[in-house]
């Protein structure tokens, strides 16, 4: 009963509250030119941001204009709650994770991009470890030949929860910095050890972008 009530409130009211909450934020974007150019030209891409800062990450990378964007959301109860926020924001839901429905989710993500959607993903979700990248975003970018963008998010005034990802909720009207990478091409001939080494480098770059964003506030 409680779960049904929460889902009802999310579907009818709460997603609007979160939307308006995010609109109060004073956001500064760094290095966003290539990312925004991709979006305005309807070029497809994969965008990745850490699970703990995903509230702002989902808001800033939401679908705009005619471009369609899919979101990977876990099959857990928390994932169900999140989907009721992201769907009204214009995202197309892909349900699954590395823990539940992993192979199916990978195929769905790949098919979604091949069919004309971009993709947003939290590469250390849904259970962590925190800031440890899984392979999904990289493999989808490699299989589809689209660029990978990394996104670090820093918040000046925030509430940090005691969850595994140290989930961050920005205070209303807080300053936020978002640092984007240049488009990253995943070499199609990489596999095995070379792909693992590439993943380690991408994880390092996303951590550096996260630290850069946080240091600017």
């Amino acid at each position: 009963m409680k779960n049904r009530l929460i889902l009802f409130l999310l579907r009818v009211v709460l997603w609007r509250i979160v939307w308006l909450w995010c609109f109060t934020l004073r956001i500064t974007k760094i290095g966003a030119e290539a990312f925004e150019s991709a979006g305005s030209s309807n070029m497809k891409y994969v965008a990745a941001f850490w699970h703990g800062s995903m509230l702002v990450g989902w808001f800033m990378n939401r679908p705009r204009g005619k471009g369609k964007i899919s979101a990977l959301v876990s099959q857990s109860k928390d994932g169900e709650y999140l989907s009721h926020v992201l769907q009204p924001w214009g995202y197309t839901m892909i349900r699954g994770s590395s823990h539940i429905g992993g192979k199916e989710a990978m195929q769905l993500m790949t098919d979604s991009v091949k069919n004309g959607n971009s993709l947003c993903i939290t590469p250390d979700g849904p259970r962590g470890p925190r800031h440890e990248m899984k392979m999904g975003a990289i493999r989808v970018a490699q299989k589809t030949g689209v660029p990978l963008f990394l996104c670090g998010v820093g918040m000046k005034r925030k509430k940090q929860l005691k969850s595994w990802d140290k989930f961050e909720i920005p205070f209303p009207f807080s300053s936020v910095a978002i640092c984007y990478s240049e488009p990253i091409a995943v070499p199609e001939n990489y596999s095995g050890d070379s792909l693992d080494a590439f993943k380690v480098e991408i994880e390092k770059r996303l951590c550096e972008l996260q630290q850069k964003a946080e240091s600017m506030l």
Side-chain angles (χ1 to χ4, degrees), residues 14 40 55 68 70 89 97 121 151 164 173 177 189 197:
L14 294 182
S40 63
L55 178 59
K68 296 180 179 180
S70 296
W89 288 9
S97 69
I121 185 171
C151 178
W164 68 265
F173 304 100
N189 62 323

Side-chain angles (χ1 to χ4, degrees), residues 158-185:
K158 63 192 177 185
K159 171 68 174 179
Q160 192 173 70
L161 304 185
K162 295 181 179 179
S163 53
W164 68 265
D165 60 349
K166 298 183 180 179
F167 188 79
E168 296 177 343
I169 304 172
F171 291 172
F173 304 100
S174 177
S175 296
V176 173
I178 303 181
C179 295
Y180 288 91
S181 71
E182 290 296 313
I184 300 167

Side-chain angles (χ1 to χ4, degrees), residues 22-43:
C22 290
F23 262 110
T24 71
L25 301 175
R26 294 177 292 180
I27 297 171
T28 300
K29 294 180 285 187
I30 300 94
E33 294 81 8
F35 178 77
E36 292 180 342
S37 176
S40 63
S41 64
N42 286 330
M43 183 177 77

